[in-house]
Amino acid sequence: MASSTRNPLLSSNLFGSKVSLSPPTPKTTKSSFLKIVNKKSSDSSQSLQSQATIAAALLFSSLTPQALAIDSPAPPRTPPPVIEALPTKPSSPFAQNLLVTAPKPQSESTSDLPEGTQWRYSEFLNAVKKGKVERVRFSKDGSTLQLSAADGRRVSVVVPNDPGLIDILAMNGVDISVSEGESGNGFLNVIGNLLFPVLAFGGLFLLFRRVQGGPGGPGGLGGPMDFGRSKSKFQEVPETGVSFADVAGADQAKLELQEVVDFLKNPDKVKILQVHSRGKALAKDVDFEKIARRTPGFTGADLQNLMNEAAIVAARRDLKEISKDEISDALERIIAGPEKKNAVVSEAKKKLVAYHEAGHALVGALMPEYDPVAKISIIPRGQAGGLTFFAPSEERLESGLYSRSYLENQMAVALGGRVAEEIIFGQENVTTGASSDFMQVSRVARQMVERFGFSKKIGQVAIGGPGGNPFMGQQMSSQKDYSMATADVVDKEVRELVETAYSRAKEIMTTHIDILHKLAQLLIEKETVDGEEFMSLFIDGKAELYIT
């Protein structure tokens, strides 16, 4: 098998035997194999040389082709070479053709993978970075994964909370998938989903049957007309003679319980104010009766907010007690907004606002069956330059019933500010301060004609539709359900009501002009006048109520 032209570097004599080493062929990727040819065959002593030749060949087989073939290109890694010993002519019965195959070494691509089917997480990361993991499949909850290694094994790994794992897998080209979960419990899931609404409807059915007096409840079988019928019974409570004073326990707990019982027996605002004032230092001038009259329509939460706001005002003023002034300021802040302390008000504007608010208060105090004046202020708050507070009746607010005379008086009170401006400053010097008053007067007058049946010409009918919310623009765009002729009648009736109210206010103002001047001057000096001080002016001036 040896070629005719041999490389001297690959030909040598070993123990007297001719050894021929064939270099690898450059154009093939398979490893060259080594042939040992024994050309001497004489006697039995030479057979020992043949065996030595085989040993030498095995020794040379452990060398790589690169070490032997210096001038030949390095071939790629291939399976181990096959060594053949070919003696030319056997000289003894023990001599024969030999084929020796070296043991196949373990593959380098899988030799560094961990053993077993359960890897640690660190071993899994090392295998991924070495490219020994082809694909991973995460469990539905992400706590474990199953991988396919390069040697074909399937391995399980417990996965910790590692946010960077997905990036590592993607960078190393690992195929990622997520298990959809086991489908063995699908039938149980369907049964569970169907069972829940059945149990819910069954519970509701039993509940309704029990309410109606069905089986399991008092009253026997109930019919469909028994739905909602009260099953309560009157039971006389025996007199035991035991009072709260006889009950053992903490005094504070008994006091709180007594306050609750008192409130249930007498649910007025005074008990509520006392409850929400607990723990707050109050001055001696605080009168809960007056506070209750000034807070019509206030709920328990509103009163609690009022007392908390008063405590905040007192803390800002570095006071140790809450007086009636702090409560009054807190009430005005809640109703009209915060006080404009940095507002620059000239003397002329202060005088104008004082007469405007004095006009409202004067007409309101002299109108029969109208709300009493609680406070007058010319301190700017919110969008208002001054405010006149009235204390409406709690009963009127709760019932929502207003008489025709009350609404007519209300329009006259609203026009009192503009009338005072005209009388004191003249027609040419009136301001836009009465714009909100005009809107209130127009709304009340139109409702009296269209909805309340207070017009003789329109009669006892409601026209104009519901009107809608004026703040959402619904009232402006609503269609009238009456003709143009009826609209003219409505406008005339509204104008007549407004003119009547204006005449009443002007008559009261001119009759009691001296009280108007005194009240305006007092407001300029003090900026605020409470209800008691205001009524003293009427007593001194001997004012009389307006009679229609």
Side-chain angles (χ1 to χ4, degrees), residues 85-346:
L86 301 175
T88 57
K89 186 176 181 180
S91 59
S92 67
F94 297 101
Q96 56 184 349
N97 295 334
L98 299 178
L99 178 62
V100 182
T101 303
K104 183 178 181 181
Q106 189 176 5
S107 176
E108 296 182 1
S109 61
T110 60
S111 61
D112 54 350
L113 289 177
E115 298 179 355
T117 59
Q118 185 74 27
W119 290 358
R120 294 192 297 270
Y121 186 68
S122 58
E123 296 175 344
F124 164 66
L125 291 180
N126 293 333
V128 170
K129 295 178 181 178
K130 292 180 181 180
K132 303 301 177 63
V133 178
E134 297 179 354
R135 65 181 60 87
V136 296
R137 187 177 183 87
F138 287 91
S139 62
K140 194 171 184 179
D141 57 357
S143 60
T144 60
L145 62 82
Q146 188 178 36
L147 62 90
S148 297
D151 57 357
R153 284 186 294 166
R154 292 185 178 274
V155 182
S156 298
V157 180
V158 178
V159 182
N161 186 12
D162 188 357
L165 176 59
I166 301 300
D167 296 336
I168 296 174
L169 296 176
M171 292 173 59
N172 290 275
V174 179
D175 186 15
I176 304 173
S177 61
V178 179
S179 176
E180 297 181 356
E182 299 179 357
S183 59
N185 295 329
F187 178 75
L188 296 179
N189 293 334
V190 173
I191 294 298
N193 294 334
L194 295 177
L195 186 61
F196 176 75
V198 172
L199 293 177
F201 282 112
L204 292 175
F205 175 76
L206 294 178
L207 178 62
F208 282 121
R209 289 293 300 272
R210 189 177 184 86
V211 171
Q212 297 176 14
L221 295 176
M225 300 304 296
D226 291 337
F227 181 81
R229 180 178 297 178
S230 176
K231 299 298 188 297
S232 59
K233 296 181 179 179
F234 176 78
Q235 183 177 2
E236 184 178 358
V237 179
E239 291 290 341
T240 60
V242 179
S243 64
F244 283 104
D246 301 326
V247 179
D251 295 337
Q252 183 65 28
K254 291 191 293 184
L255 178 61
E256 293 179 357
L257 184 58
Q258 183 66 51
E259 291 177 351
V260 173
V261 174
D262 292 341
F263 171 70
L264 293 177
K265 290 182 178 179
N266 303 305
D268 56 357
K269 291 185 178 179
V270 176
K271 295 300 180 178
I272 298 176
L273 288 170
Q274 290 177 352
V275 172
H276 293 309
S277 300
R278 185 186 307 155
K280 298 179 177 63
L282 300 179
K284 295 181 179 180
D285 60 351
V286 175
D287 190 351
F288 289 128
E289 294 288 346
K290 294 182 180 179
I291 299 174
R293 288 195 298 268
R294 288 197 58 188
T295 55
F298 274 45
T299 62
D302 297 332
L303 295 176
Q304 182 182 11
N305 186 29
L306 172 62
M307 298 308 298
N308 293 336
E309 188 70 26
I312 295 174
V313 173
R316 290 175 180 173
R317 297 175 181 177
D318 296 330
L319 300 176
K320 297 182 180 180
E321 295 180 339
I322 302 175
S323 65
K324 65 176 183 178
D325 296 332
E326 284 71 45
I327 298 177
S328 178
D329 293 341
L331 178 61
E332 294 175 11
R333 180 183 179 89
I334 294 174
I335 295 176
E339 176 183 346
K340 294 182 179 180
K341 296 182 179 180
N342 299 326
V344 179
V345 181
S346 62

Side-chain angles (χ1 to χ4, degrees), residues 269 289-298 328 331-332 335-336 355-377 386-394 396-397 402 406 408-417 437 440 505 508-509 519 523 529-532 534-535 538 545:
K269 291 185 178 179
E289 294 288 346
K290 294 182 180 179
I291 299 174
R293 288 195 298 268
R294 288 197 58 188
T295 55
F298 274 45
S328 178
L331 178 61
E332 294 175 11
I335 295 176
Y355 273 99
H356 184 100
E357 299 302 327
H360 288 307
L362 180 61
V363 178
L366 296 179
M367 280 293 179
E369 298 181 4
Y370 196 71
D371 304 325
V373 177
K375 184 178 180 180
I376 312 167
S377 173
L387 292 169
T388 301
F389 296 93
F390 294 89
S393 172
E394 192 85 26
R396 185 182 292 114
L397 288 177
Y402 301 91
Y406 179 85
E408 291 175 347
N409 295 339
Q410 188 180 39
M411 290 188 293
V413 173
L415 294 174
D437 300 331
Q440 178 185 358
I508 292 175
M509 207 80 61
L519 178 57
L523 286 172
V529 176
D530 58 11
E532 294 181 356
F534 170 71
M535 291 305 299
F538 285 86
L545 293 177

